[in-house]
Amino acid sequence: MARVLMTGFAPFGGESVNPSWQAVSLVGGRRTDVAAVELPCEFAASLPALRRALEAHRPSLVVCAGQAGGRAEVTPERVAINLIDARIPDNAGAKPVDAPVVAQGPAAYFTTLPVKACVAAIRAAGVPASVSHTAGTYVCNQVFYGLMHLLATEFPGVRGGFVHVPFSPEQVAAASKPEPSLSVDRIADALEALADTALRVTEDLPISAGAEH
């Protein structure tokens, strides 16, 4: 069985690709200890798909990735909140507003990844990175919160978290918009550095200047 489950999302918001899934797929092709799974960018379908992946692969570590257009760095997320407030419809046309991810669930969950150590490792691999304290209120945050709830209630001992990645250059070029971007290869390098660090590090580093997003 794979030790690491990595997930990325299908394209959404009119994009033809999603660099989170492209990079996760690349890592899955590089490594035999990583199972790569694409999640639908749909509020109703994302968490059932994540649960099926957890049941199928029984990993010791879960890294979910998503696209955050406009960010210039790879940003491991520190906290997920129990809120869905969609700015745009998902791929099924749903646009929930002010809804909980889990009814009666805790207000928030913290990641169980050593995010500061992961940022240091990603930077050491030559990829820009910082810790983020907001995963938004769209499907990325829903999956992050849903993952942590599943791990807390049904998969004890499994560690996990979420990381956002920038647009890819092809997305920026196709839209002719002045947004920051990062190549899929370098995003994949960052995800590998993050996973390797999370597998061996349980005590996180003290926060250092410039590590925050």
Side-chain angles (χ1 to χ4, degrees), residues 43 84-90 93-97:
F43 290 106
I84 299 169
D85 194 8
R87 178 180 57 84
I88 60 173
D90 68 8
K95 191 182 177 185
V97 172

Side-chain angles (χ1 to χ4, degrees), residues 137-157:
T137 55
Y138 195 55
V139 187
C140 287
N141 176 74
Q142 183 206 24
V143 162
F144 183 15
Y145 184 96
L147 168 67
M148 302 315 298
H149 188 73
L150 284 168
L151 299 189
T153 59
E154 299 182 38
F155 297 88

Side-chain angles (χ1 to χ4, degrees), residues 38-130:
E38 184 181 41
L39 299 180
C41 191
E42 299 176 16
F43 290 106
S46 61
L47 293 182
L50 178 60
R51 180 195 291 275
R52 289 193 296 272
L54 285 164
E55 291 172 343
H57 298 288
R58 295 287 169 175
S60 59
L61 180 73
V62 185
V63 178
C64 295
Q67 170 192 298
R71 294 192 188 183
E73 301 172 301
V74 174
T75 50
E77 297 291 345
R78 202 169 192 183
V79 62
I81 59 174
N82 193 12
L83 175 66
I84 299 169
D85 194 8
R87 178 180 57 84
I88 60 173
D90 68 8
N91 286 352
K95 191 182 177 185
V97 172
D98 293 340
V101 178
V102 176
Q104 309 305 315
Y109 281 106
F110 283 102
T111 185
T112 50
L113 303 181
V115 289
K116 291 171 281 185
C118 289
V119 164
I122 293 168
R123 290 176 174 176
V127 182
S130 63

Side-chain angles (χ1 to χ4, degrees), residues 164-192:
H164 268 119
V165 305
F167 281 136
S168 67
E170 66 181 297
Q171 289 175 291
V172 173
S176 298
K177 52 190 175 187
E179 296 277 8
S181 66
L182 192 61
S183 74
V184 170
D185 282 350
R186 298 305 282 148
I187 294 171
D189 292 341
L191 295 179
E192 285 200 79

